[in-house]
Amino acid sequence: MSWWKNFGLCLLCGLLCGCLGIGGKKPQPVHFFVLGNGAIDGHCRLFNPEHIIVLERVNIPCFLDQVRIVTRDDGGKLVRHEFFRWGENLADGVGSTLRSRLEEVLRQSHVLLAPWGGDLRPDFRLIVAVDDFTARGDRIWLNARCEYWHNGENRLVGVRSFCASVRWEDGSADALVDGMRSLLVHFADAIAADIGLIWEGKKCCPDGELAQDCMPEDTTQWPKIFKTFQTSETGGRELLLQARTSIYVTVDPCGEGERLFSGRLAPGQRMAVPCHGAVQIFASDPDGLLVDGQPLGR
């Protein structure tokens, strides 16, 4: 009987020691990180903004949309770090970091994160998508793009493709987050430079390793499939466009006159375009666009 009692006491002590970490290796603590720098010294000011810019919620791939920080091994496989985690939603962290930098550079502009309240009418909308934001080897990579939309005209002005890297100094989580923050600052600076050109009415051009793909003025790079639609010269009518996939669309009058629509339609998006007379409709993927319910490519 005493033997069983001693065994039970030893077992209980072992369990307690294991739970409390006594006599063994201490459990590794979980560290949480955010992309923002936290509270910093600033200043208050009252100003009349020249432009209002809205940054839509940043799109990130599913493999990055999680609590654990993700890197890649030498073979490119994903590595999810159990003890290094985000203390914020990564998409929100990217958006707030870009917004802070844009407001710092574009000092006469008011930069908002969507959704915004009130009756504000933005001049421009920025749609940012991140394709990859991981470290591999001794480099940290950001592969992303930003679409510039003229909000009043619902027109795509240009697309900034950004691919850059910085050195991952010591392989630590702190250095990783610092490097990611630095890449976002560079990305925001490129966006601010593009916006400055757009305000001046200039076309964006390639700059070093930052590739700039603008919305083409013509449709020569697109498939040679289009359709002509005849409407009334006087009363006219609305043509209903509906996108099956993400596509670029233009609607041009057959005669003289300005382009009626030019921009990107998201999957499932509908748009009614008022037309007078004959118009030609081009699409980057003709089978992906329905015009009055019929595929453009047929």
Side-chain angles (χ1 to χ4, degrees):
M1 188 69 177
S2 60
W3 181 84
W4 281 105
K5 288 183 178 179
N6 292 334
F7 176 77
L9 289 173
C10 291
L11 180 61
L12 180 60
C13 291
L15 291 174
L16 289 174
C17 290
C19 293
L20 297 175
I22 300 174
K25 186 178 180 180
K26 291 184 179 180
Q28 183 175 350
V30 177
H31 298 274
F32 292 90
F33 299 86
V34 295
L35 285 171
N37 288 316
I40 57 175
D41 293 334
H43 60 276
C44 299
R45 64 188 179 122
L46 176 65
F47 73 109
N48 183 20
E50 294 181 356
H51 298 90
I52 298 178
I53 303 169
V54 168
L55 177 61
E56 301 284 354
R57 191 175 191 274
V58 177
N59 295 310
I60 62 174
C62 293
F63 72 88
L64 291 176
D65 190 11
Q66 58 179 292
V67 174
R68 291 179 292 180
I69 292 180
V70 178
T71 58
R72 296 181 184 273
D73 62 17
D74 292 336
K77 294 181 180 179
L78 298 176
V79 179
R80 296 174 174 85
H81 297 269
E82 182 63 32
F83 300 104
F84 300 139
R85 305 185 183 186
W86 293 114
E88 62 185 346
N89 182 286
L90 182 58
D92 294 339
V94 171
S96 61
T97 304
L98 291 175
R99 173 187 174 273
S100 297
R101 181 60 178 177
L102 287 173
E103 276 208 327
E104 183 180 346
V105 177
L106 304 172
R107 298 189 58 80
Q108 296 304 315
S109 299
H110 187 29
V111 185
L112 301 171
L113 286 175
W116 67 96
D119 297 326
L120 289 176
R121 296 179 179 272
D123 299 296
F124 293 95
R125 291 184 296 116
L126 308 181
I127 301 178
V128 174
V130 172
D131 295 323
D132 197 5
F133 202 11
T134 57
R136 180 173 179 178
D138 62 349
R139 308 291 298 181
I140 306 168
W141 290 90
L142 172 60
N143 188 0
R145 63 187 182 278
C146 178
E147 295 181 0
Y148 307 100
W149 284 81
H150 190 289
N151 192 61
E153 302 175 3
N154 195 29
R155 178 171 56 90
L156 181 68
V157 180
V159 182
R160 158 69 65 180
S161 298
F162 183 92
C163 183
S165 68
V166 295
R167 185 174 179 81
W168 190 5
E169 293 298 339
D170 57 7
S172 68
D174 289 317
L176 173 64
V177 175
D178 288 342
M180 297 174 75
R181 188 181 298 118
S182 173
L183 284 170
L184 289 174
V185 168
H186 293 325
F187 187 24
D189 288 345
I191 293 173
D194 289 340
I195 292 175
L197 292 175
I198 291 170
W199 287 340
E200 296 173 3
K202 299 178 180 178
K203 290 185 178 181
C204 306
C205 350
D207 180 16
E209 65 179 16
L210 306 180
Q212 179 69 42
D213 300 320
C214 290
M215 186 72 181
E217 292 292 332
D218 56 42
T219 55
T220 56
Q221 302 178 24
W222 294 359
K224 300 296 183 180
I225 300 177
F226 66 89
K227 282 188 177 179
T228 301
F229 296 84
Q230 182 68 46
T231 63
S232 170
E233 292 285 351
T234 55
R237 72 183 181 96
E238 290 185 341
L239 290 177
L240 180 60
L241 310 181
Q242 181 177 358
R244 290 175 166 176
T245 60
S246 179
I247 53 177
Y248 292 94
V249 180
T250 62
V251 182
D252 296 312
C254 290
E256 296 182 357
E258 296 182 355
R259 176 166 286 177
L260 301 176
F261 174 74
S262 175
R264 181 182 70 87
L265 296 180
Q269 182 177 353
R270 295 170 177 244
M271 174 169 290
V273 180
C275 301
H276 297 273
V279 297
Q280 287 185 341
I281 300 179
F282 290 79
S284 56
D285 178 9
D287 292 328
L289 178 68
L290 299 179
V291 182
D292 288 342
Q294 298 297 321
L296 182 68
R298 293 183 183 176

